[in-house]
Amino acid sequence: QKEVEQNSGPLSVPEGAIASLNCTYSDRGSQSFFWYRQYSGKSPELIMSIYSNGDKEDGRFTAQLNKASQYVSLLIRDSQPSDSATYLCAVNPVRSNDYKLSFGAGTTVTVRA
Amino acid sequence: EAQVTQNPRYLITVTGKKLTVTCSQNMNHEYMSWYRQDPGLGLRQIYYSMNVEVTDKGDVPEGYKVSRKEKRNFPLILESPSPNQTSLYFCASSPGQGSGYTFGSGTRLTVV
């Protein structure tokens, strides 16, 4: 079983819609969760971090964490063409080893104008 | 500007010819790491370092070496590159405490 799994996509949404991205992880002891955005040919860029159960909002982005279900998601509201990118879910598998960061394979999002 | 700097950006080499990819960060971060990214496999951690002179293997360390003699630098060494090491490589650094990594611009390596 992979440490971090994402729905593979690609995900195509119309401009202005909500894009919903999902991620599950295998290590129940994980404490820190991140979403990165990667444009084609560029490096990953951290856009959201979440540590506690519930929702965390930052502008048009909302991260949701459910540790009991080992599930983390990212919602992108009012999607814009500039949101077209690959979104990577990342998890610190063990609390004390936060230099070990495991990534999912990514979900590619295309926002249609 | 706070950043992670990798060099070179592109590298084509031949099988067996030793090479080094340099990485430097100016944020005084404790942690540094190397990842490779391959289509369909995502980002996989090669090595990481928790501090000067402290390094450990990630998920795919075979064929790679690293060193951390100074806090800011974390070079990746391929002693005898092989074609299966053709990939996009990223260096990253983090202050720890669950802050996540900041990535460099990447090095696209081709081994022929």
Side-chain angles (χ1 to χ4, degrees):
Chain A
Q1 182 187 6
K2 291 182 180 179
E3 289 186 39
V4 183
E5 297 203 54
Q6 297 182 240
N7 43 345
S8 58
L11 179 64
S12 180
V13 298
E15 185 173 357
I18 295 175
S20 178
L21 307 172
N22 303 318
C23 174
T24 58
Y25 59 95
S26 60
D27 187 338
R28 187 170 288 277
S30 299
Q31 296 291 323
S32 303
F33 308 86
F34 307 92
W35 283 98
Y36 284 79
R37 176 177 63 198
Q38 186 176 25
Y39 293 114
S40 181
K42 301 295 186 182
S43 58
E45 172 194 12
L46 180 64
I47 56 171
M48 289 288 286
S49 58
I50 187 167
Y51 310 102
S52 304
N53 281 330
D55 295 359
K56 179 181 179 182
E57 188 174 315
D58 184 358
R60 295 185 295 108
F61 296 102
T62 299
Q64 300 173 317
L65 175 61
N66 183 327
K67 290 185 179 180
S69 299
Q70 295 175 239
Y71 175 94
V72 58
S73 66
L74 180 71
L75 300 177
I76 307 173
R77 294 185 304 282
D78 187 23
S79 295
Q80 301 297 310
S82 60
D83 296 325
S84 297
T86 297
Y87 290 81
L88 305 171
C89 175
V91 177
N92 282 135
V94 177
R95 182 184 178 87
S96 61
N97 295 347
D98 58 359
Y99 37 79
K100 175 92 172 77
L101 190 61
S102 296
F103 284 80
T107 300
T108 298
V109 174
T110 300
V111 180
R112 309 188 304 271
Chain B
E1 180 188 354
Q3 60 185 357
V4 179
T5 303
Q6 292 178 234
N7 281 295
R9 289 292 310 276
Y10 301 91
L11 180 59
I12 300 175
T13 190
V14 296
T15 300
K17 185 177 182 181
K18 181 180 178 180
L19 66 91
T20 299
V21 184
T22 64
C23 175
S24 180
Q25 52 96 1
N26 62 0
M27 296 169 281
N28 201 38
H29 285 172
E30 298 288 328
Y31 303 150
M32 297 187 74
S33 186
W34 277 101
Y35 286 84
R36 61 176 290 174
Q37 187 173 36
D38 302 287
L41 297 177
L43 281 160
R44 293 179 293 167
Q45 200 166 25
I46 303 171
Y47 267 95
Y48 53 87
S49 170
M50 299 77 85
N51 212 325
V52 175
E53 303 289 5
V54 184
T55 63
D56 205 351
K57 297 176 181 179
D59 298 318
V60 288
E62 293 77 21
Y64 304 95
K65 285 177 58 178
V66 294
S67 67
R68 186 99 181 267
K69 293 183 169 54
E70 304 166 281
K71 195 172 186 178
R72 62 183 291 124
N73 295 323
F74 191 46
L76 179 69
I77 303 157
L78 285 73
E79 294 270 2
S80 183
S82 63
N84 65 11
Q85 293 178 298
T86 292
S87 186
L88 179 58
Y89 291 86
F90 289 104
C91 181
S93 72
S94 170
Q97 288 86 51
S99 300
Y101 276 108
T102 298
F103 284 81
S105 299
T107 296
R108 186 166 293 281
L109 172 65
T110 302
V111 183
V112 298

